[in-house]
Amino acid sequence: MSPTPAARTLGERVAERRRRLFVGRGAEIELFRTALHAADPPFSVLFLHGPGGIGKSSLLNRMAEDAVEAGAVVVRAQGGALASPDGFADVVAEVRAVSRSVPADDPAVRRPVLVIDALDRVGDVDERIRDKLIAALPGDGLAVLADRSAPGDAWCEPAWRERLRSVAIRGLDAHESRELLLRSGVGDTEVKDLAVLAHGHPLALCLLADVAAGQNPPIRPNGPLTADLIAVLLRRFIDTIPEARYRRALEVCALAWVTTEPLLCSALDVDDAHDLFRWLAAQSFVEAGPDGLQPHDLVRDVLDLDLRWRNPDEYRRVFRRVRRHVHRSFDAPDRRQQLRAMYEVKFIFRNLPGVLSPVDWASWGMQHPEPATPADHGEILRLVEGFEGAESASLARHWLDRQPEAFIVLRERGRALRGFLGLLDLTKATAEEVVSDPVTAAAWRHATRSAPVRAGEVVTQTRFVVDRECHQGPSPTLNATPVVTLQRYLQMRSLAFDFLTLAEPDAWDEYFALAGLPRVAGADAVVGCHRFGLFCHDFRAVPVASMIESWEDRVLAQDFSRPE
């Protein structure tokens, strides 16, 4: 038998390793193959669900490979790509193009198969995914979806429910666990104990194999897999890395939202990072997506904390280079690229109090802000009235009538309104318009009393922040607030003051003082039964570049002691 030729590309190498390490899941694969080869499939949607690290992505990869080998045309998408309107539209267009290409005389030859991973990164599955994407497949097409949660209410409609097959993905059994360890290079004498320790969790098995490969002392705690054990495993793995440059690459991957080869080159000051990128992609806890590499949710923070403890000075150098690389995308011509850069730069500051408002990390970067339309106005007013009362709703109508372009909305995948922001330009308003709202009047008084606003200067105010479920608590809407406002800071070269308006302001005092937006003393305003505080930044005193540098100085001045 002739030897298998070496893989020519990084993608082929990663795919080869995935195939070698794939074990188990026989029932799920057989279920998929039955539908794939049937003239009239027994279901149209295979919905895989299970916790993080349980192996959903590996199973999707295997199913996609099976579909290609069977002659199907596979369309792949990641939940993160579907979060933006443009990304969603691109996938819909690809599905429709593939569906049109199916031969009418023999559709089974090129049956379209839609594969969507990490659906939880966009929120609950709803009518938009179902009716715009999956419904665009031909009648015998298949869709395979992976989510951390079981199918939601969108699939309860009888006509769709009968076309759905939901499968919970469980841990590997004892035999499969031992087989995965053996294929990962673990010696026969260690396999049994390590398999018991991991309790069938594929990510834990891979980490245990990595640790064992480094010939560290065995880990034999009793009890189930915990976050603490994951941390121990990762630290043991880091101890085995032979070269500092690989630890630095891992540091970048843990710090950045998404890691690419150009980012590695910038962050590590090297001309060619291909081998480092390839090494990262081969790690068991790193996932490859359409935009680059991301460490698994269970391991990112442990890696970040441990690596900065090991070499604080080098970590500081890497942090600055990562931030500056991302910063260069702020001026990208495409608005979508700009927003992505804002999300990325805020993400690297995630451990600094005051730089980010309290964050719902599970939804970070999933919803993309977009301008409100006249059709949104009624729902905006209903949201304001529901949380802040009729008087506030009247003021929201006042500003919608005068500055409709100032309102930014976030949508769920079904296009329902998740929340909105009202980003007013007070220098565009007349004096009568400003004073008719107690909150904008308070902001304008402070701006003009602190130092007269000069001709051409701009005063802005985030007047409304309302999330449909949480008002001003951690939510996709609150996530978007610092991202959208940072974009405004960078685009308005003549910005003099920016105000942020929040209800229950006492709870935010310390937080925004650290962020460089201290509360304006004596400027609270009451609307109806609600008191609103003003938080302000004077850009004439501290320009935006200096503000970001101060964030960087504070995050790098933190204690880098090793986590317990």
Side-chain angles (χ1 to χ4, degrees), residues 408-456:
I408 305 295
V409 298
L410 288 92
R411 302 185 192 280
E412 302 284 17
R413 280 181 300 175
R415 307 301 290 166
L417 210 64
R418 172 64 201 231
F420 77 94
L421 309 173
L423 311 176
L424 305 179
D425 183 345
L426 299 186
T427 43
K428 285 184 178 179
T430 66
E432 292 77 11
E433 290 169 351
V434 170
V435 299
S436 65
D437 178 348
V439 181
T440 56
W444 188 254
R445 279 196 303 271
H446 177 75
T448 54
R449 288 175 182 174
S450 299
V453 178
R454 297 183 287 265

Side-chain angles (χ1 to χ4, degrees), residues 84-126:
S84 72
D86 290 344
F88 187 89
D90 289 345
V91 178
V92 171
E94 185 177 1
V95 167
R96 288 175 175 167
V98 166
S99 298
R100 287 194 296 268
S101 71
V102 175
D105 56 339
D106 191 3
V109 173
R110 289 178 56 80
R111 168 175 288 158
V113 176
L114 172 63
V115 177
I116 304 178
D117 196 7
L119 211 52
D120 44 276
R121 294 185 179 176
V122 202
D124 294 335
V125 175
D126 56 24

Side-chain angles (χ1 to χ4, degrees), residues 140-217:
D140 67 341
L142 292 173
V144 188
L145 317 178
D147 197 315
R148 292 191 179 187
S149 301
D153 293 342
W155 300 102
C156 291
E157 182 182 319
W160 276 102
R161 189 169 56 210
E162 69 180 24
R163 302 305 305 162
L164 174 76
R165 186 68 59 89
S166 175
V167 177
I169 305 302
R170 311 294 185 188
L172 301 175
D173 64 25
H175 172 75
E176 293 163 348
S177 297
R178 291 193 292 270
E179 180 64 22
L180 176 55
L181 290 168
L182 287 170
R183 293 187 186 187
S184 301
V186 177
D188 292 346
T189 57
E190 298 177 270
V191 162
K192 183 177 179 181
D193 288 344
L194 294 183
V196 171
L197 175 61
H199 296 270
H201 194 285
L203 176 60
L205 286 162
C206 290
L207 287 172
L208 284 165
D210 291 339
V211 171
Q215 298 181 346
N216 275 277

Side-chain angles (χ1 to χ4, degrees), residues 440-453 459 497-499 518-521 523 534-538 540:
T440 56
W444 188 254
R445 279 196 303 271
H446 177 75
T448 54
R449 288 175 182 174
S450 299
V453 178
V459 177
F497 289 95
D498 182 58
F499 293 90
R519 187 173 172 185
V520 179
L534 291 179
F535 299 83
C536 175
H537 185 82
D538 183 347
R540 295 179 298 189

